[in-house]
Amino acid sequence: MSARDLAVVTRFSGRLFWRDRTALSTSVLLFLGLGIGLPFMMDKVRPGHPEFLLNQHLGVLAMVLVLTTFNQIAVTLTARRDQLVLKRMRTTGLSDPAILGGEIGSLVVQSTLLTAVVSVALYSLTGLPAPRDPLLYLVFVVAGAAVLCLLGTAFTAIVPRTELAAVMAMPVFFLAGVGAGGFGPVLEILPGWVGTVLGLLPTGAVVEAAQAAYAADGTLAGDLRAAAVPALKLAVWGVAGLLATARWFRWETRRS
């Protein structure tokens, strides 16, 4: 896989994404609307509680990140598979890793930019402070987005047709929201083991690392220790996604 091929597919995927009105409304607008709107509303309901606001922000961020990564790539790749776009792309000389890597790279870049927009908006409109360690925050947003995209790519193997992709991917959105606290303190009324299981999701790793990035009394050594477990979780999910994609990903519909 050459860097040039990867860049070509990334640009191609990005252009198609920004021309797709459905993708813009279900991905970008929801990301911005929920990512900014819910924490902003909670800040007005409970002003002067920065810890509550931070938890709400990170929970919603983890939830909407699933929309622009896992859900979006599942819909996109299923549609291009069923329309035989992926099959035609393989005949151009592009390698399989370049095709999938470009699709993933495009959504990772877009998700990271949307996260930046949401974060800056909340820093300006609410009492949410900026992270003490923005690099740690950025690294885990990018890594989490990449892993979620990879898992969404593997997920397309069980999606029979394009019309069902969004519906079948939606449970991941809800589970991520519940586990990260995006829907509020739902876990408090559920058995303890539910929170433990949902905490193993990639979004749980992103939230854990982000909390360390916001910790006021953190140090470099403390950040590295705090990032170790979330990094391990993402690495395990990433390897699982790679293996599942290599084994089961389909380049064309079964009906062809």
Side-chain angles (χ1 to χ4, degrees):
M1 178 178 62
S2 70
R4 179 182 177 277
D5 289 347
L6 186 62
V8 166
V9 179
T10 299
R11 288 196 299 269
F12 171 73
S13 177
R15 285 197 298 268
L16 291 182
F17 177 85
W18 290 105
R19 293 174 182 175
D20 187 340
R21 294 182 180 179
T22 302
L24 292 178
S25 61
T26 59
S27 184
V28 175
L29 293 182
L30 272 178
F31 192 109
L32 295 176
L34 293 176
I36 298 173
L38 285 179
F40 179 79
M41 182 177 63
M42 291 298 101
D43 184 55
K44 298 305 178 184
V45 172
R46 295 186 61 180
H49 293 78
E51 184 176 351
F52 172 79
L53 177 60
L54 174 60
N55 291 335
Q56 183 68 39
H57 164 54
L58 296 181
V60 173
L61 176 62
M63 180 174 67
V64 294
L65 196 61
V66 174
L67 281 178
T68 56
T69 55
F70 186 95
N71 289 39
Q72 184 59 47
I73 203 165
V75 172
T76 298
L77 289 181
T78 302
R80 292 180 187 169
R81 178 195 70 196
D82 292 353
Q83 294 165 1
L84 302 182
V85 173
L86 293 179
K87 183 178 181 180
R88 290 194 292 270
M89 290 177 71
R90 298 179 87 188
T91 66
T92 63
L94 292 169
S95 66
D96 292 353
I99 295 172
L100 296 182
E103 297 285 354
I104 291 172
S106 174
L107 291 181
V108 169
V109 170
Q110 293 161 25
S111 298
T112 303
L113 292 176
L114 288 171
T115 298
V117 171
V118 167
S119 298
V120 170
L122 291 177
Y123 302 151
S124 303
L125 300 173
T126 70
L128 181 70
R132 175 189 48 80
D133 189 344
L135 180 59
L136 178 65
Y137 182 65
L138 174 63
V139 166
F140 271 86
V141 167
V142 173
V147 170
L148 286 167
C149 280
L150 188 56
L151 293 172
T153 301
F155 180 79
T156 61
I158 66 172
V159 181
R161 60 182 185 274
T162 305
E163 295 80 5
L164 297 178
V167 176
M168 293 179 66
M170 194 55 66
V172 179
F173 167 77
F174 286 109
L175 290 175
V178 172
F183 294 119
V186 177
L187 289 178
E188 294 181 5
I189 62 175
L190 298 175
W193 63 267
V194 176
T196 301
V197 171
L198 295 182
L200 297 176
L201 294 173
T203 47
V206 174
V207 171
E208 287 179 35
Q211 288 171 337
Y214 272 96
D217 57 348
T219 62
L220 177 59
D223 288 349
L224 293 176
R225 286 193 299 270
V229 173
L232 179 61
K233 290 180 183 178
L234 289 180
V236 170
W237 280 110
V239 170
L242 280 172
L243 294 176
T245 299
R247 175 66 179 83
W248 291 298
F249 184 79
R250 292 188 287 118
W251 292 90
E252 56 184 287
T253 177
R254 290 194 182 99
R255 292 173 295 179
S256 61

